[in-house]
Structures are given as C-alpha cells and as structure tokens.
Amino acid sequence: MKILVTGSYGQLGNEIRVALQQFPDTEVIMTDVDTLDICNKNAVERFFEQNKPDFIVNCAAYTAVDKAENDVDLCYKINRDAVENLAKSAAKIGAKIVHISTDYVFDGTANVPYSEDVKVCPKSIYGKSKAAGEEVLMENNGQNSIIIRTAWLYSIFGNNFVKTMLRLGAEKEQISVVFDQIGTPTNAADLAKAIVEIIHTKTFVSGIYHFSNEGVCSWYDFTKAIFDIKKYDCKLLPIESSQYPVPAPRPSFSVLNKAKIKSVFGIEIPHWHDSLLKMTEKN
Ligand SMILES: NC(=O)c1ccc[n+]([C@@H]2O[C@H](COP(=O)([O-])OP(=O)(O)OC[C@H]3O[C@@H](n4cnc5c(N)ncnc54)[C@H](OP(=O)(O)O)[C@@H]3O)[C@@H](O)[C@H]2O)c1
C-alpha cells in the first residue's frame, strides 16, 4: 500500500507520520508545499501519475482563520481549488482521498451536537472555503473520498491553543478566556490514529464523518483543565466573546456528533481530558 500525505509539516501531518510508524510495510510519501504545492494543478497531476498512491491524506490547508478574512483569494485557492486538483488527479489514477474539514462549516446556532446530515452554513471565510472544498471533492472523486470534519485541533507539533495557554499560564498572573463558545478539543494524535486505522484495517466507506475527542467544554473550561494539570497559579477569568473581538466569527456551539464514524468504522474515541493529559505529559 502506498500513502501520500500532503501538508505533512503541519500538526496533523506530523501526527500522521507518527501514527504510520505502526505500519512499517506501508510505503509513505510525505510532502508539503516545498515538495508538492497542491495549488499547482500540473504538478499534482504529474506527481500522482509518477507515484501512483493508493491513498492521499490531505492535511494541507489554509488554517489562519482570522487572517483569511482579508486573504480571501489565497484561502480559497488552498482550501477549495487545490482540493479540486487533488480530487481530479486522484480520480484519474483511481486513488482514494481522506480529506480534513472543520466544525466551522456550521453556524453554531444548534444546541445539540452536529451530525453529518445537518446543512452547512459557514459564517467565516475560512469556514466557507472549507465547505467549498468539501463540495468540489464530492463532485470530482465522491465515490472514493472520505471527509473528516474535526474541531479545536492541537498537537505536540506546531502552534495551537494548548501550547499558547501552556506558555501564558507560566508567564502571566491573570488571563481572560471566553466561556460562551462550546465545542470539543481534538488531540491530533487521536485523529491521526483513527485515519491510519481506517485506511489500513477498515472497509473504505465514502462520505462525510465527524471526529473530535469525546465530551464537551468551553475554551474557558479547556484552559482551566490545562492550568490544573500544570498546577499553574495564573488567575483565569471567564469572559464573553464580545469582550474578545476577533476578525472571523466563531460558531458559539460546534460540538460534533461522532456516532457515524464510531458505528461505520468501529473507532474508539478518548475523552478530551484524557487526551489533553497525554499531550501535556510531553510538554
Ligand atoms: N487547527 C485546527 O484547530 C483545525 C480545526 C478543525 C479542522 N482543521 C483542519 O484540519 C486539517 C489539518 O490542520 P492543521 O492544524 O494540521 O493545519 P496546519 O498545522 O496549518 O498545517 C497545514 C499544512 O499545510 C501546508 N500547506 C499550506 N498550503 C499548502 C500548499 N499549497 N501545498 C501544500 N501544503 C500546503 C502548510 O504549510 P504553511 O505552514 O507553510 O502554510 C502546513 O504545513 C486542515 O484541513 C484544517 O482545516 C484544523
């Protein structure tokens, strides 16, 4: 089996590399923008023809949510147009794609966890571009594609909320964090393990799936857990989102219902607090 990973220098890309170490017989091609710019249609087509991967795991994305509000063209180029390149080139060689999307495709007005059949209604440019990426993938390689929507991703690799709070908690006497945005964190190592498991041991069933860790919390609760684990003295104040204005609108409720991925693939998902503990042990 041959697996091509795009965006492999990112949080998830790195975790996929680690997860694939469990399968030493698998041939893995790790790429990022320096070796395979997914925006370059001809380069993608040529790369696929030459290497003939069985699976493409697309970890490449434009993920700067606030910057995207003023960087619309590049955001769409990476999150929609490049996904179309991957889908068309994969279809030509009969390759399967696992693509990652986001809870930001929802507007966050629900009060029960989002299942896959809820209509998307993104509010931010990033969310809109990711929803458009889902659409072009399904149009061009739908029979051979899995889309996994995830949320609040963090990892020992790259920059993320957990690492920021580990730093701020050690440096500051007091910080304020929003308590009115509710979701579920996802340790990228758990998502990577699930993706690798699906590819290696499960029957490939195309479609959209949701994956985060189990449980629910606000960003305030999440930060409280980080500070408690590290026994930081930093005082933590809950604030409303209106007190912390940012360029891109965030869904106020984006808990994902994971029943489908659990029942179709038999994936077991750890609780967010257990996974946070595992990550913070390494930091
Ligand atoms: N982070 C989150 O909280 C979160 C939440 C929900 C869903 N997701 C989704 O999860 C997936 C993985 O996210 P992540 O946090 O691992 O992302 P990440 O750390 O930002 O990594 C993305 C990688 O893609 C690379 N890339 C950008 N443009 C590229 C191009 N044209 N060709 C090839 N590679 C390119 C980036 O390089 P540069 O760094 O040089 O740009 C980076 O190495 C993404 O689809 C994201 O939308 C993330």
Side-chain angles (χ1 to χ4, degrees):
M1 182 191 295
K2 199 188 269 188
I3 301 178
L4 166 66
V5 181
T6 61
S8 67
Y9 299 159
Q11 299 192 81
L12 182 62
N14 267 293
E15 295 286 7
I16 295 274
R17 176 175 50 75
V18 173
L20 281 169
Q21 287 166 2
Q22 298 296 317
F23 297 90
D25 293 340
T26 300
E27 193 177 335
V28 185
I29 311 170
M30 304 297 283
T31 64
D32 206 285
V33 68
D34 52 355
T35 39
L36 180 61
D37 178 355
I38 62 168
C39 294
N40 185 333
K41 188 170 180 283
N42 293 334
V44 170
E45 196 174 325
R46 225 177 17 250
F47 201 94
F48 283 21
E49 287 291 347
Q50 279 167 4
N51 292 285
K52 297 226 167 16
D54 303 296
F55 289 90
I56 295 110
V57 182
N58 182 29
C59 300
Y62 185 110
T63 56
V65 174
D66 288 317
K67 205 167 148 224
E69 294 296 307
N70 290 312
D71 199 8
V72 181
D73 289 351
L74 182 59
C75 183
Y76 270 85
K77 202 173 158 199
I78 298 171
N79 289 349
R80 181 194 58 196
D81 303 347
V83 178
E84 187 174 352
N85 296 339
L86 296 175
K88 286 184 171 164
S89 294
K92 278 191 187 156
I93 59 161
K96 296 183 170 68
I97 296 185
V98 178
H99 173 69
I100 317 303
S101 192
T102 170
D103 55 333
Y104 282 38
V105 297
F106 297 117
D107 62 7
T109 56
N111 53 17
V112 291
Y114 282 97
S115 54
E116 292 80 356
D117 52 9
V118 176
K119 202 172 176 315
V120 301
C121 185
K123 291 292 177 205
S124 60
I125 295 296
Y126 167 74
K128 287 176 187 171
S129 71
K130 293 293 287 185
E134 292 184 359
E135 216 172 290
V136 290
L137 178 56
M138 281 307 166
E139 271 167 27
N140 291 286
N141 198 33
Q143 295 305 309
N144 265 334
S145 294
I146 285 176
I147 293 171
I148 303 182
R149 295 190 187 126
T150 190
W152 298 23
L153 209 59
Y154 67 91
S155 161
I156 53 169
F157 302 106
N159 295 315
N160 51 64
F161 183 84
V162 177
K163 284 194 175 174
T164 302
M165 289 304 156
L166 287 171
R167 179 172 49 80
L168 293 179
E171 282 171 13
K172 304 258 183 201
E173 282 183 10
Q174 173 177 311
I175 66 159
S176 303
V177 178
V178 298
F179 74 96
D180 56 358
Q181 287 171 32
I182 311 295
T184 315
T186 306
N187 186 332
D190 295 331
L191 175 56
K193 185 167 168 277
I195 291 170
V196 166
E197 206 177 309
I198 289 169
I199 290 176
H200 278 93
T201 62
K202 311 289 176 184
T203 305
F204 193 91
V205 184
S206 307
I208 299 179
Y209 298 86
H210 288 173
F211 184 100
S212 67
N213 280 123
E214 294 286 15
V216 175
C217 63
S218 69
W219 289 108
Y220 167 81
D221 299 317
F222 192 30
T223 311
K224 174 87 169 65
I226 297 166
F227 286 7
D228 285 351
I229 289 168
K230 287 292 176 185
K231 299 189 171 37
Y232 286 156
D233 290 331
C234 179
K235 190 170 176 192
L236 181 60
L237 301 174
I239 52 164
E240 293 178 29
S241 300
S242 58
Q243 295 171 273
Y244 188 76
V246 283
R250 264 66 173 173
S252 58
F253 179 92
S254 67
V255 179
L256 299 174
N257 183 329
K258 297 162 290 283
K260 185 178 171 189
I261 200 164
K262 288 190 280 187
S263 72
V264 173
F265 296 119
I267 301 284
E268 285 180 23
I269 306 179
H271 188 272
W272 68 261
H273 196 274
D274 297 333
S275 288
L276 174 64
L277 268 172
K278 278 196 185 148
M279 184 272 193
T280 49
E281 274 166 11
K282 297 178 187 160
N283 270 270

